[in-house]
């Protein structure tokens, strides 16, 4: 994770103003909202999936758990799907309002919000670049996972970045996904317009994987460990968030360094008014690290704990 290019700095502080996420929005089920009610179609309270455009509002908490293998009866149903899924090939222009609901998976394989767009080609051959599902907004709720990320939203066209794919972390395996390696060619990114807002996102280590162009994360509280938030692509806006990183020895974190927010290919990114809280066992920890990211604007960010602001 090298190749940091210069950034513009404005109003930086080491310890300062607390930036707390704002409260959830009012109920989306008012008469002024055209909201499609969203619930588990199998009435198990495990997962939901959205493909067509529109505004969808969750009507129930989603809880995934499973008994130990020795307690399972033959043919007992076990949740395998993500808590929230927008499948590959979805139309885009999708808003998912969690309506203040709690989404939790206690399973080691359990995934939170999942959207894999494009195609993760890894055969080294040339393939058509598939258009992304443009405009996916997730807002107003809480997602908590254990081993797997709380949010994966990816537009992929070559699958050559294997950093988070089947990574061993302590005694567990991160399912993750192959990401795109742009090889420095930012012109290949297509507009995705992914948005996360007013969310509390929690996982044991890696919380957010996002790749695309013109993405926004705002007014979220994100709680994880080394490499908690990983963002790839130009014209990113990351603002008014609180990131809590429980710093671990990289040997216990799949080799991931003590970095709360990692940005790659982030040309023109705006990172402002975020509060970074570093806990655990920090050793050369940093709040932010950048690679191949020129013209970044940093404004009004603060860090609490034993860590540098950026490198």
């Amino acid at each position: 994770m090298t190749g940091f290019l210069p950034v513009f700095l404005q109003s930086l502080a080491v310890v300062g103003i607390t930036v707390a996420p704002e409260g959830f929005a009012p109920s989306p089920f008012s008469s002024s909202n055209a909201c499609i009610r969203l619930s588990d179609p199998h009435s198990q309270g495990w997962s939901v999936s959205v493909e067509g455009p529109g505004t969808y509002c969750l009507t129930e908490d989603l809880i995934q758990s499973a008994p130990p293998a020795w307690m399972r009866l033959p043919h007992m149903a076990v949740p395998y799907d993500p808590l929230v899924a927008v499948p590959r090939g979805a139309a885009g222009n999708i808003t998912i309002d969690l309506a203040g609901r709690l989404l939790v998976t206690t399973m080691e394989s359990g995934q939170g919000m999942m959207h894999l767009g494009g195609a993760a080609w890894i055969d080294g051959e040339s393939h058509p670049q598939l258009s992304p599902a443009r405009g996916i907004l997730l807002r107003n709720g809480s997602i908590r996972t254990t081993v797997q990320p709380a949010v994966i939203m990816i537009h992929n066209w070559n699958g050559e970045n294997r950093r988070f794919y089947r990574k061993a972390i302590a005694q567990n395996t991160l399912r993750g996904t192959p990401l795109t390696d742009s090889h420095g060619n930012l012109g290949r990114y297509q507009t995705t317009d992914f948005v996360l807002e007013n969310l509390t996102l929690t996982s044991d280590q890696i919380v957010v994987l996002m790749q695309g162009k013109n993405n926004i994360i705002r007014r979220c509280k994100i709680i994880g460990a080394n490499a908690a938030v990983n963002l790839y692509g130009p014209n990113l806006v990351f603002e008014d968030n609180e990131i809590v990183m429980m710093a671990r020895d990289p040997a216990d974190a799949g080799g991931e360094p003590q970095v709360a927010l990692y940005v790659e290919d982030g040309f023109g990114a705006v990172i402002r008014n975020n509060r970074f809280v570093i806990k655990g066992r920090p050793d050369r920890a940093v709040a932010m690290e950048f690679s191949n990211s020129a013209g970044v604007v940093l404004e009004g960010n603060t860090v609490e704990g034993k860590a540098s602001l950026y490198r």
Side-chain angles (χ1 to χ4, degrees), residues 50-233:
V50 172
E51 295 188 41
T55 298
Y56 298 81
C57 300
L58 192 63
T59 62
E60 60 181 341
D61 293 341
L62 300 176
I63 309 295
Q64 294 184 356
S65 61
W70 62 270
M71 290 183 60
R72 283 183 211 153
L73 299 174
H75 311 296
M76 177 180 289
V78 176
Y80 287 105
D81 294 328
L83 291 162
V84 181
V86 177
R88 193 188 310 273
N93 294 318
I94 292 169
T95 294
I96 301 174
D97 194 319
L98 301 182
R101 299 290 183 172
L102 176 64
L103 289 70
V104 177
T105 176
T106 61
M107 303 173 63
E108 293 180 358
S109 61
Q111 298 173 310
M113 164 63 175
M114 172 69 77
H115 171 67
L116 303 179
W121 303 108
I122 57 174
D123 57 10
E125 302 296 328
S126 177
H127 296 278
Q129 184 167 333
L130 302 180
S131 296
R134 182 174 175 179
I136 300 175
L137 164 61
L138 181 70
R139 68 188 183 195
N140 300 336
S142 298
I143 300 177
R144 185 166 71 239
T145 58
T146 54
V147 176
Q148 311 305 325
V151 173
I152 298 179
M153 298 175 72
I154 300 295
H155 177 235
N156 201 337
W157 66 85
N158 66 22
E160 294 174 1
N161 182 337
R162 315 286 280 181
R163 177 183 167 198
F164 296 110
Y165 183 54
R166 297 180 180 174
K167 174 184 281 289
I169 298 178
Q171 304 302 313
N172 301 303
T173 299
L174 184 73
R175 294 168 65 184
T177 182
L179 305 174
T180 286
D181 189 335
S182 72
H183 302 290
N185 182 4
L186 304 189
R188 294 202 64 189
Y189 277 92
Q190 295 188 44
T191 299
T192 48
D193 290 331
F194 297 152
V195 179
L196 303 176
E197 67 179 13
N198 296 332
L199 298 165
T200 299
L201 305 171
T202 307
S203 191
D204 287 354
Q205 181 169 329
I206 297 164
V207 188
V208 177
L209 300 180
M210 182 177 283
Q211 185 163 38
K213 182 178 179 181
N214 294 359
N215 295 330
I216 299 172
I217 301 179
R218 60 193 172 206
R219 298 189 298 277
C220 294
K221 183 170 185 178
I222 301 170
I223 305 167
N226 301 22
V229 183
N230 303 273
L231 309 178
Y232 294 75

